Amino acid sequence: MVSEVTEGVKVTVLTEYQPDYSSPRQAHFVFTYKVVIENHSENTIKLLRRHWLIYDSNNTVREVEGEGVVGQQPVLEPGEVHEYVSGCNLRTNLGKMAGTYLMERVLDGRQFRVIIPEFTLIVPYRLN
C-alpha cells in the first residue's frame, strides 16, 4: 500500500495479482488495484480526468488518459472518500504504475493535479 497527499487530497493504492486471469506462459499477467481518494481539504472537489503511466520490466511504457475513473467523475465533499477498483495487464511479471488526477474545486472552477503515488505490480513468487 502506498499513499500520497496533494493539496489536501490523499490517494492510497493497494494492488493484487490475479492468477486466475493470468497466463504466464503467454506473458500475460493481470493485476487489480484499489484506489482510495480522501478529501481532507476544505473544498468540494470533482475528479475530471486521469493520466497513467504503466511500465513493464521489459522497458515498455504505456500511457492511459481519459475522463474520470471507471466511468465516473466523482464529487467529494470535505471529509468524503471515494473508492474504486480497476485492473491492468502486463507482459512481464513485474511492473509499476504512477499518474495524476485532474481535479476541480467546485466553488470557483480552479483545476489542480493530484499525484497518484507510484506503485509496484509484482507476482508473489518474485518476492521469494
Side-chain angles (χ1 to χ4, degrees), residues 2-69:
V2 294
S3 295
E4 180 93 22
V5 179
T6 309
E7 294 198 35
V9 180
K10 182 178 181 181
V11 177
T12 302
V13 183
L14 304 130
T15 64
E16 187 174 355
Y17 175 58
Q18 299 296 320
D20 293 344
Y21 299 98
S22 298
S23 181
R25 288 180 185 225
Q26 280 82 37
H28 182 76
F29 301 88
V30 178
F31 298 86
T32 56
Y33 53 91
K34 177 181 180 181
V35 179
V36 180
I37 303 168
E38 302 173 56
N39 183 4
H40 295 289
S41 77
E42 297 178 359
N43 300 291
T44 302
I45 57 172
K46 181 177 182 178
L47 192 157
L48 300 176
R49 302 186 69 77
R50 71 192 181 287
H51 179 249
W52 288 104
L53 293 174
I54 305 165
Y55 302 87
D56 277 348
S57 59
N58 63 3
N59 293 324
T60 300
V61 180
R62 290 180 286 161
E63 190 170 11
V64 176
E65 201 273 332
E67 284 189 3
V69 290

Side-chain angles (χ1 to χ4, degrees), residues 5 61 73 87-88 107 113:
V5 179
V61 180
Q73 289 183 311
C88 173
L107 176 68
R113 296 212 178 270

Side-chain angles (χ1 to χ4, degrees), residues 36-127:
V36 180
I37 303 168
E38 302 173 56
N39 183 4
H40 295 289
S41 77
E42 297 178 359
N43 300 291
T44 302
I45 57 172
K46 181 177 182 178
L47 192 157
L48 300 176
R49 302 186 69 77
R50 71 192 181 287
H51 179 249
W52 288 104
L53 293 174
I54 305 165
Y55 302 87
D56 277 348
S57 59
N58 63 3
N59 293 324
T60 300
V61 180
R62 290 180 286 161
E63 190 170 11
V64 176
E65 201 273 332
E67 284 189 3
V69 290
V70 293
Q72 300 179 342
Q73 289 183 311
V75 175
L76 286 84
E77 299 287 337
E80 286 189 334
V81 176
H82 179 77
E83 299 181 8
Y84 71 94
V85 176
S86 190
C88 173
N89 63 309
L90 299 178
R91 305 270 311 147
T92 61
N93 60 15
L94 172 65
K96 65 182 179 180
M97 291 177 64
T100 58
Y101 294 124
L102 179 62
M103 299 283 196
E104 179 180 78
R105 197 164 62 186
V106 173
L107 176 68
D108 58 7
R110 179 181 162 271
Q111 294 184 357
F112 60 100
R113 296 212 178 270
V114 170
I115 295 169
I116 304 167
E118 181 177 287
F119 55 94
T120 303
L121 303 165
I122 185 167
V123 297
Y125 60 79
R126 285 288 306 257
L127 297 172

